[in-house]
Amino acid sequence: MVVEGLEVWALTRDRELREALTDPRFRRNWRTWRALAEGEVATDHPVAAMVYLDNMLTVDGEAHRRMRGPVARAFTPRRVESLRPAVGAVVDSLLEELAERDGPVDLKAEFAYPLSMRVFSELFGIPERDHDRMRQMVATAFSPSTPEEVRAMREQLDAFLTELISDKRSEPGEDLTSALVSATDEEHQLSDAELRDTLWLLVTAGFETTSSALVNGVQALLSHPEQLALLRSGSAAWTDAVEEVLRQAGSVATLPFLFAAEDVEIGGRTVRAGEPVLLAYLAANLDTDRYGADAAEFDLTRSRPRHLAFGHGPHTCLGAALARLELEVALKALFIRFPEVSLVEGDVPRLGSVFINSPASLPVRLSAQRAAA
């Protein structure tokens, strides 16, 4: 498979992807990537720049456990569940703002993005003035970009992280950024470089993936009115809808990379030492061998095996519980508040990204009366 000019292996089936994610012969550490180590791929290549970092997603073993620890403390089940009232309040506020609008609204720009950004920023203590800044940097990271655009983004990122870390050092709060700064300065669990790279990882993973999953869910449910009716009547559970959205319409299409530390036989092919392997999560979630002949169909009434939307093994996404919470609260509230919401007719533009599966926008009408008018 070719990704942004790089020829890579891709794991597209559930069985092989699960195997690779727990196989110690595959590493996360970019130093295992032969082409990068030997200069064949530049560090400012758009995809290489996503892995040329030292954070919990790009390391293995003890280093991974050390870096993951300070973040994991913020995502315990009890702490995540305690956020439910705050998430509900943000959702209700945004829906009230939408109720004042006439005509179609872009549900991604006016509901999904503000929700995920506000929840993320509250958790990490990031002021509202930085929201657009973060959104632009993340859009560059996930979109086809030139090396010049990547370098410019990294300069913006350095300035942003320098300001954020400085602010938390001078005025620490109860937020996760302050906790990570403390883990660096006082507990010595992270180096300064690891702190910056960890914060960048959390920014990139913190709101784009959840907001995209939310609009995917809205689009899927509006395209299957008979299943939406089951949810509204109480005949089906909103948690089941969330899991089917995550499986069939997950926002993370792919992620880079695993690297073979030695020659590895997998799926009838040999991945040579130092070669990169793309993690094709969405394709694996549609694998008919695991999820049935109708795996590509959205059906929340089906009982299916556990999906890979949040990964598998030691690097399973720490934010999974929070993402599930946001999706459950937001989907339920939206469809109760606006029982006549419908998609605007016409083609829906998609994001031009190999990594994120999502429409670029999702125009909807909130009521049939307004649509008629």
Side-chain angles (χ1 to χ4, degrees):
M1 180 176 182
V2 177
V3 180
E4 298 291 333
L6 300 177
E7 187 171 302
V8 303
W9 294 99
L11 291 170
T12 60
R13 294 184 299 200
D14 180 274
R15 179 178 177 180
E16 286 80 6
L17 182 49
R18 286 179 191 271
E19 289 177 358
L21 288 168
T22 55
D23 189 332
R25 296 175 298 172
F26 286 106
R27 307 283 172 77
R28 294 277 185 161
N29 198 314
W30 53 267
R31 295 168 181 85
T32 317
W33 188 0
R34 182 198 59 77
L36 186 66
E38 296 179 3
E40 294 177 15
V41 176
T43 56
D44 59 2
H45 184 282
V47 180
M50 297 177 69
V51 299
Y52 187 60
L53 301 160
D54 286 320
N55 55 46
M56 62 184 175
L57 194 62
T58 62
V59 295
D60 306 282
E62 179 54 38
H64 170 251
R65 290 186 287 273
R66 172 176 57 80
M67 293 187 201
R68 187 177 173 98
V71 183
R73 291 196 290 270
F75 289 99
T76 63
R78 178 177 295 181
R79 183 164 186 181
V80 170
E81 185 58 31
S82 73
L83 297 173
R84 184 178 291 270
V87 172
V90 175
V91 167
D92 290 344
S93 174
L94 289 169
L95 293 180
E96 284 303 311
E97 292 175 15
L98 290 180
E100 301 298 319
R101 293 285 310 278
D102 289 321
V105 300
D106 179 358
L107 213 60
K108 186 166 190 176
E110 300 178 67
F111 181 54
Y113 252 128
L115 168 61
S116 56
M117 181 68 79
R118 289 185 195 179
V119 172
F120 172 83
S121 297
E122 179 66 24
L123 188 61
F124 283 85
I126 297 175
E128 187 174 353
R129 67 173 184 269
D130 289 325
H131 289 186
D132 286 343
R133 193 177 179 186
M134 287 195 300
R135 181 174 176 175
Q136 291 170 4
M137 290 187 295
V138 170
T140 300
F142 281 130
S143 301
S145 306
T146 65
E148 292 76 18
E149 289 170 331
V150 171
R151 287 194 292 271
M153 183 271 290
R154 292 304 292 264
E155 289 177 3
Q156 296 168 11
L157 171 64
D158 286 341
F160 167 68
L161 293 178
T162 296
E163 293 173 20
L164 180 61
I165 293 169
S166 176
D167 288 346
K168 298 305 177 182
R169 280 182 169 142
S170 60
E171 294 185 34
E174 297 298 318
D175 54 86
L176 183 51
T177 303
S178 296
L180 290 172
V181 171
S182 175
T184 302
D185 296 348
E186 300 172 20
E187 303 168 35
H188 307 294
Q189 289 184 265
L190 303 172
S191 69
D192 286 343
E194 289 168 349
L195 170 64
R196 298 171 73 88
D197 288 352
T198 295
L199 287 171
W200 177 228
L201 167 64
L202 294 169
V203 168
T204 54
F207 58 88
E208 173 64 56
T209 53
T210 304
S211 63
S212 292
L214 178 52
V215 292
N216 288 353
V218 173
Q219 187 175 34
L221 289 171
L222 289 177
S223 300
H224 296 81
E226 73 291 347
Q227 296 184 46
L228 179 56
L230 294 176
L231 292 166
R232 283 174 161 155
S233 69
S235 301
W238 288 97
T239 51
D240 291 337
V242 168
E243 294 308 312
E244 183 65 351
V245 168
L246 291 168
R247 183 199 69 84
Q248 193 269 350
S251 59
V252 179
T254 65
L255 280 181
F257 285 125
L258 292 177
F259 306 103
E262 59 186 78
D263 291 357
V264 180
E265 294 283 341
I266 188 167
R269 300 289 188 272
T270 300
V271 180
R272 300 297 180 188
E275 292 184 335
V277 176
L278 187 70
L279 311 176
Y281 289 111
L282 184 58
N285 280 338
L286 303 179
D287 185 349
T288 55
D289 286 345
R290 180 168 175 84
Y291 300 103
D294 63 345
E297 299 299 319
F298 182 89
D299 188 350
L300 61 85
T301 68
R302 283 284 307 275
S303 177
R304 302 188 193 266
R306 190 170 184 84
H307 55 71
L308 284 168
F310 296 113
H312 177 67
H315 289 82
T316 299
C317 177
L318 279 171
L322 180 57
R324 285 183 165 105
L325 174 63
E326 288 185 52
L327 292 173
E328 178 192 351
V329 172
L331 288 172
K332 183 177 181 179
L334 171 70
F335 286 111
I336 289 176
R337 179 68 177 79
F338 298 109
E340 296 179 322
V341 61
S342 61
L343 295 172
V344 172
E345 293 184 5
D347 294 334
V348 177
R350 308 292 300 179
L351 285 182
S353 172
V354 70
F355 303 111
I356 299 297
N357 169 49
S358 173
S361 61
L362 189 67
V364 301
R365 296 187 184 278
L366 299 176
S367 72
Q369 186 175 26
R370 290 181 182 178

